[in-house]
mmCIF file of all heavy atoms in Angstrom:
data_model
loop_
_atom_site.group_PDB
_atom_site.id
_atom_site.type_symbol
_atom_site.label_atom_id
_atom_site.label_comp_id
_atom_site.label_asym_id
_atom_site.label_seq_id
_atom_site.Cartn_x
_atom_site.Cartn_y
_atom_site.Cartn_z
ATOM 1 N N LEU S 44 -12.252 -8.049 5.486
ATOM 2 C CA LEU S 44 -12.760 -7.988 4.118
ATOM 3 C C LEU S 44 -11.806 -7.226 3.203
ATOM 4 O O LEU S 44 -11.542 -7.661 2.076
ATOM 5 C CB LEU S 44 -14.161 -7.378 4.091
ATOM 6 C CG LEU S 44 -15.287 -8.404 4.276
ATOM 7 C CD1 LEU S 44 -15.257 -9.083 5.616
ATOM 8 C CD2 LEU S 44 -16.625 -7.777 4.036
ATOM 9 N N LEU S 45 -11.271 -6.133 3.680
ATOM 10 C CA LEU S 45 -10.320 -5.346 2.896
ATOM 11 C C LEU S 45 -9.105 -6.193 2.516
ATOM 12 O O LEU S 45 -8.711 -6.251 1.352
ATOM 13 C CB LEU S 45 -9.887 -4.118 3.696
ATOM 14 C CG LEU S 45 -8.969 -3.124 3.015
ATOM 15 C CD1 LEU S 45 -9.687 -2.444 1.870
ATOM 16 C CD2 LEU S 45 -8.499 -2.091 4.019
ATOM 17 N N GLU S 46 -8.530 -6.873 3.489
ATOM 18 C CA GLU S 46 -7.328 -7.660 3.248
ATOM 19 C C GLU S 46 -7.623 -8.964 2.519
ATOM 20 O O GLU S 46 -6.695 -9.636 2.058
ATOM 21 C CB GLU S 46 -6.589 -7.907 4.565
ATOM 22 C CG GLU S 46 -6.020 -6.618 5.133
ATOM 23 C CD GLU S 46 -5.256 -6.796 6.430
ATOM 24 O OE1 GLU S 46 -5.156 -7.936 6.936
ATOM 25 O OE2 GLU S 46 -4.752 -5.780 6.949
ATOM 26 N N SER S 47 -8.891 -9.308 2.386
ATOM 27 C CA SER S 47 -9.287 -10.505 1.637
ATOM 28 C C SER S 47 -9.671 -10.159 0.199
ATOM 29 O O SER S 47 -10.173 -11.010 -0.526
ATOM 30 C CB SER S 47 -10.455 -11.199 2.340
ATOM 31 O OG SER S 47 -10.061 -11.654 3.613
ATOM 32 N N GLY S 48 -9.485 -8.898 -0.175
ATOM 33 C CA GLY S 48 -9.755 -8.486 -1.538
ATOM 34 C C GLY S 48 -11.134 -7.893 -1.769
ATOM 35 O O GLY S 48 -11.473 -7.530 -2.892
ATOM 36 N N LEU S 49 -11.923 -7.793 -0.724
ATOM 37 C CA LEU S 49 -13.262 -7.209 -0.838
ATOM 38 C C LEU S 49 -13.178 -5.736 -0.442
ATOM 39 O O LEU S 49 -13.720 -5.294 0.570
ATOM 40 C CB LEU S 49 -14.253 -7.985 0.027
ATOM 41 C CG LEU S 49 -14.376 -9.474 -0.356
ATOM 42 C CD1 LEU S 49 -15.143 -10.254 0.691
ATOM 43 C CD2 LEU S 49 -15.042 -9.602 -1.713
ATOM 44 N N ARG S 50 -12.455 -4.974 -1.261
ATOM 45 C CA ARG S 50 -12.085 -3.600 -0.941
ATOM 46 C C ARG S 50 -13.283 -2.705 -0.656
ATOM 47 O O ARG S 50 -13.321 -2.030 0.366
ATOM 48 C CB ARG S 50 -11.258 -3.021 -2.084
ATOM 49 C CG ARG S 50 -10.774 -1.624 -1.811
ATOM 50 C CD ARG S 50 -10.136 -0.982 -3.041
ATOM 51 N NE ARG S 50 -9.852 0.404 -2.780
ATOM 52 C CZ ARG S 50 -10.750 1.381 -2.812
ATOM 53 N NH1 ARG S 50 -12.004 1.113 -3.107
ATOM 54 N NH2 ARG S 50 -10.417 2.628 -2.555
ATOM 55 N N ARG S 51 -14.234 -2.685 -1.553
ATOM 56 C CA ARG S 51 -15.356 -1.744 -1.409
ATOM 57 C C ARG S 51 -16.113 -1.992 -0.107
ATOM 58 O O ARG S 51 -16.411 -1.065 0.635
ATOM 59 C CB ARG S 51 -16.296 -1.865 -2.600
ATOM 60 C CG ARG S 51 -17.405 -0.826 -2.573
ATOM 61 C CD ARG S 51 -18.246 -0.871 -3.817
ATOM 62 N NE ARG S 51 -17.375 -0.652 -4.978
ATOM 63 C CZ ARG S 51 -17.754 -0.793 -6.227
ATOM 64 N NH1 ARG S 51 -18.971 -1.158 -6.506
ATOM 65 N NH2 ARG S 51 -16.917 -0.570 -7.217
ATOM 66 N N ARG S 52 -16.413 -3.253 0.166
ATOM 67 C CA ARG S 52 -17.158 -3.592 1.390
ATOM 68 C C ARG S 52 -16.303 -3.299 2.623
ATOM 69 O O ARG S 52 -16.796 -2.787 3.622
ATOM 70 C CB ARG S 52 -17.578 -5.059 1.352
ATOM 71 C CG ARG S 52 -18.284 -5.550 2.584
ATOM 72 C CD ARG S 52 -19.765 -5.622 2.381
ATOM 73 N NE ARG S 52 -20.391 -6.465 3.394
ATOM 74 C CZ ARG S 52 -21.077 -5.966 4.401
ATOM 75 N NH1 ARG S 52 -21.262 -4.672 4.529
ATOM 76 N NH2 ARG S 52 -21.613 -6.779 5.297
ATOM 77 N N GLY S 53 -15.029 -3.640 2.567
ATOM 78 C CA GLY S 53 -14.141 -3.382 3.695
ATOM 79 C C GLY S 53 -14.026 -1.905 4.023
ATOM 80 O O GLY S 53 -14.116 -1.500 5.182
ATOM 81 N N VAL S 54 -13.851 -1.082 3.006
ATOM 82 C CA VAL S 54 -13.752 0.368 3.201
ATOM 83 C C VAL S 54 -15.047 0.909 3.789
ATOM 84 O O VAL S 54 -15.042 1.736 4.708
ATOM 85 C CB VAL S 54 -13.391 1.077 1.877
ATOM 86 C CG1 VAL S 54 -13.626 2.574 1.962
ATOM 87 C CG2 VAL S 54 -11.942 0.784 1.503
ATOM 88 N N SER S 55 -16.167 0.427 3.291
ATOM 89 C CA SER S 55 -17.468 0.874 3.802
ATOM 90 C C SER S 55 -17.616 0.558 5.287
ATOM 91 O O SER S 55 -18.064 1.400 6.073
ATOM 92 C CB SER S 55 -18.589 0.209 3.002
ATOM 93 O OG SER S 55 -19.842 0.527 3.550
ATOM 94 N N LEU S 56 -17.215 -0.634 5.682
ATOM 95 C CA LEU S 56 -17.309 -1.025 7.095
ATOM 96 C C LEU S 56 -16.372 -0.203 7.963
ATOM 97 O O LEU S 56 -16.719 0.182 9.083
ATOM 98 C CB LEU S 56 -17.021 -2.519 7.258
ATOM 99 C CG LEU S 56 -18.078 -3.450 6.685
ATOM 100 C CD1 LEU S 56 -17.571 -4.888 6.672
ATOM 101 C CD2 LEU S 56 -19.386 -3.343 7.468
ATOM 102 N N LEU S 57 -15.179 0.075 7.454
ATOM 103 C CA LEU S 57 -14.233 0.889 8.226
ATOM 104 C C LEU S 57 -14.755 2.304 8.418
ATOM 105 O O LEU S 57 -14.630 2.875 9.506
ATOM 106 C CB LEU S 57 -12.867 0.901 7.546
ATOM 107 C CG LEU S 57 -12.109 -0.424 7.594
ATOM 108 C CD1 LEU S 57 -10.863 -0.367 6.720
ATOM 109 C CD2 LEU S 57 -11.754 -0.805 9.021
ATOM 110 N N ARG S 58 -15.358 2.858 7.389
ATOM 111 C CA ARG S 58 -15.949 4.202 7.522
ATOM 112 C C ARG S 58 -17.076 4.191 8.551
ATOM 113 O O ARG S 58 -17.211 5.114 9.354
ATOM 114 C CB ARG S 58 -16.457 4.691 6.173
ATOM 115 C CG ARG S 58 -15.353 5.097 5.253
ATOM 116 C CD ARG S 58 -15.876 5.714 3.977
ATOM 117 N NE ARG S 58 -14.760 6.129 3.141
ATOM 118 C CZ ARG S 58 -14.701 5.937 1.842
ATOM 119 N NH1 ARG S 58 -15.694 5.367 1.200
ATOM 120 N NH2 ARG S 58 -13.654 6.344 1.165
ATOM 121 N N GLU S 59 -17.884 3.138 8.505
ATOM 122 C CA GLU S 59 -18.979 3.020 9.476
ATOM 123 C C GLU S 59 -18.423 2.875 10.894
ATOM 124 O O GLU S 59 -18.964 3.437 11.844
ATOM 125 C CB GLU S 59 -19.855 1.827 9.110
ATOM 126 C CG GLU S 59 -21.137 1.756 9.881
ATOM 127 C CD GLU S 59 -22.037 0.614 9.429
ATOM 128 O OE1 GLU S 59 -21.836 0.048 8.345
ATOM 129 O OE2 GLU S 59 -22.956 0.293 10.209
ATOM 130 N N ALA S 60 -17.336 2.125 11.035
ATOM 131 C CA ALA S 60 -16.708 1.950 12.353
ATOM 132 C C ALA S 60 -16.262 3.287 12.925
ATOM 133 O O ALA S 60 -16.386 3.529 14.128
ATOM 134 C CB ALA S 60 -15.525 0.988 12.265
ATOM 135 N N LEU S 61 -15.760 4.180 12.063
ATOM 136 C CA LEU S 61 -15.295 5.488 12.531
ATOM 137 C C LEU S 61 -16.416 6.339 13.120
ATOM 138 O O LEU S 61 -16.150 7.251 13.890
ATOM 139 C CB LEU S 61 -14.606 6.257 11.407
ATOM 140 C CG LEU S 61 -13.127 5.970 11.211
ATOM 141 C CD1 LEU S 61 -12.578 6.810 10.073
ATOM 142 C CD2 LEU S 61 -12.327 6.194 12.475
ATOM 143 N N ASP S 62 -17.650 6.037 12.762
ATOM 144 C CA ASP S 62 -18.780 6.748 13.373
ATOM 145 C C ASP S 62 -18.814 6.506 14.885
ATOM 146 O O ASP S 62 -19.370 7.301 15.626
ATOM 147 C CB ASP S 62 -20.107 6.318 12.750
ATOM 148 C CG ASP S 62 -20.264 6.819 11.327
ATOM 149 O OD1 ASP S 62 -19.544 7.763 10.936
ATOM 150 O OD2 ASP S 62 -21.100 6.245 10.601
ATOM 151 N N GLY S 63 -18.227 5.402 15.320
ATOM 152 C CA GLY S 63 -18.152 5.093 16.741
ATOM 153 C C GLY S 63 -16.778 5.348 17.313
ATOM 154 O O GLY S 63 -16.303 4.631 18.200
ATOM 155 N N ARG S 64 -16.138 6.374 16.799
ATOM 156 C CA ARG S 64 -14.763 6.727 17.191
ATOM 157 C C ARG S 64 -14.554 6.742 18.712
ATOM 158 O O ARG S 64 -13.543 6.256 19.212
ATOM 159 C CB ARG S 64 -14.431 8.092 16.608
ATOM 160 C CG ARG S 64 -13.092 8.627 16.936
ATOM 161 C CD ARG S 64 -12.915 10.031 16.391
ATOM 162 N NE ARG S 64 -13.135 10.124 14.968
ATOM 163 C CZ ARG S 64 -12.171 9.984 14.052
ATOM 164 N NH1 ARG S 64 -10.942 9.763 14.435
ATOM 165 N NH2 ARG S 64 -12.449 10.090 12.763
ATOM 166 N N ALA S 65 -15.513 7.270 19.450
ATOM 167 C CA ALA S 65 -15.368 7.358 20.904
ATOM 168 C C ALA S 65 -15.265 5.976 21.541
ATOM 169 O O ALA S 65 -14.512 5.784 22.499
ATOM 170 C CB ALA S 65 -16.537 8.129 21.505
ATOM 171 N N GLU S 66 -16.001 5.012 21.008
ATOM 172 C CA GLU S 66 -15.944 3.652 21.547
ATOM 173 C C GLU S 66 -14.663 2.931 21.144
ATOM 174 O O GLU S 66 -14.177 2.075 21.871
ATOM 175 C CB GLU S 66 -17.147 2.834 21.051
ATOM 176 C CG GLU S 66 -18.468 3.268 21.629
ATOM 177 C CD GLU S 66 -19.606 2.440 21.068
ATOM 178 O OE1 GLU S 66 -19.547 1.201 21.191
ATOM 179 O OE2 GLU S 66 -20.542 3.037 20.516
ATOM 180 N N LEU S 67 -14.130 3.270 19.982
ATOM 181 C CA LEU S 67 -12.928 2.610 19.486
ATOM 182 C C LEU S 67 -11.666 3.087 20.192
ATOM 183 O O LEU S 67 -10.729 2.325 20.368
ATOM 184 C CB LEU S 67 -12.768 2.863 17.985
ATOM 185 C CG LEU S 67 -13.792 2.220 17.080
ATOM 186 C CD1 LEU S 67 -13.617 2.750 15.660
ATOM 187 C CD2 LEU S 67 -13.681 0.713 17.113
ATOM 188 N N GLY S 68 -11.637 4.357 20.527
ATOM 189 C CA GLY S 68 -10.439 4.940 21.113
ATOM 190 C C GLY S 68 -9.543 5.511 20.037
ATOM 191 O O GLY S 68 -9.671 5.181 18.849
ATOM 192 N N PRO S 69 -8.622 6.368 20.429
ATOM 193 C CA PRO S 69 -7.800 7.085 19.457
ATOM 194 C C PRO S 69 -6.829 6.213 18.664
ATOM 195 O O PRO S 69 -6.552 6.488 17.502
ATOM 196 C CB PRO S 69 -7.045 8.109 20.312
ATOM 197 C CG PRO S 69 -7.080 7.568 21.694
ATOM 198 C CD PRO S 69 -8.346 6.775 21.797
ATOM 199 N N VAL S 70 -6.325 5.152 19.258
ATOM 200 C CA VAL S 70 -5.350 4.307 18.558
ATOM 201 C C VAL S 70 -6.013 3.568 17.401
ATOM 202 O O VAL S 70 -5.528 3.569 16.268
ATOM 203 C CB VAL S 70 -4.666 3.315 19.529
ATOM 204 C CG1 VAL S 70 -3.785 2.334 18.782
ATOM 205 C CG2 VAL S 70 -3.857 4.075 20.574
ATOM 206 N N VAL S 71 -7.155 2.935 17.675
ATOM 207 C CA VAL S 71 -7.856 2.184 16.631
ATOM 208 C C VAL S 71 -8.410 3.144 15.579
ATOM 209 O O VAL S 71 -8.327 2.868 14.381
ATOM 210 C CB VAL S 71 -8.976 1.299 17.233
ATOM 211 C CG1 VAL S 71 -9.799 0.631 16.144
ATOM 212 C CG2 VAL S 71 -8.379 0.253 18.163
ATOM 213 N N ALA S 72 -8.936 4.281 16.007
ATOM 214 C CA ALA S 72 -9.455 5.265 15.052
ATOM 215 C C ALA S 72 -8.336 5.726 14.112
ATOM 216 O O ALA S 72 -8.540 5.850 12.903
ATOM 217 C CB ALA S 72 -10.067 6.452 15.790
#
Side-chain angles (χ1 to χ4, degrees):
L44 272 64
L45 184 67
E46 293 181 359
S47 296
L49 300 168
R50 183 189 172 281
R51 185 175 302 171
R52 177 101 163 105
V54 166
S55 175
L56 291 170
L57 290 172
R58 286 186 178 137
E59 190 176 344
L61 274 180
D62 289 342
R64 178 184 304 269
E66 291 179 56
L67 292 171
V70 173
V71 174

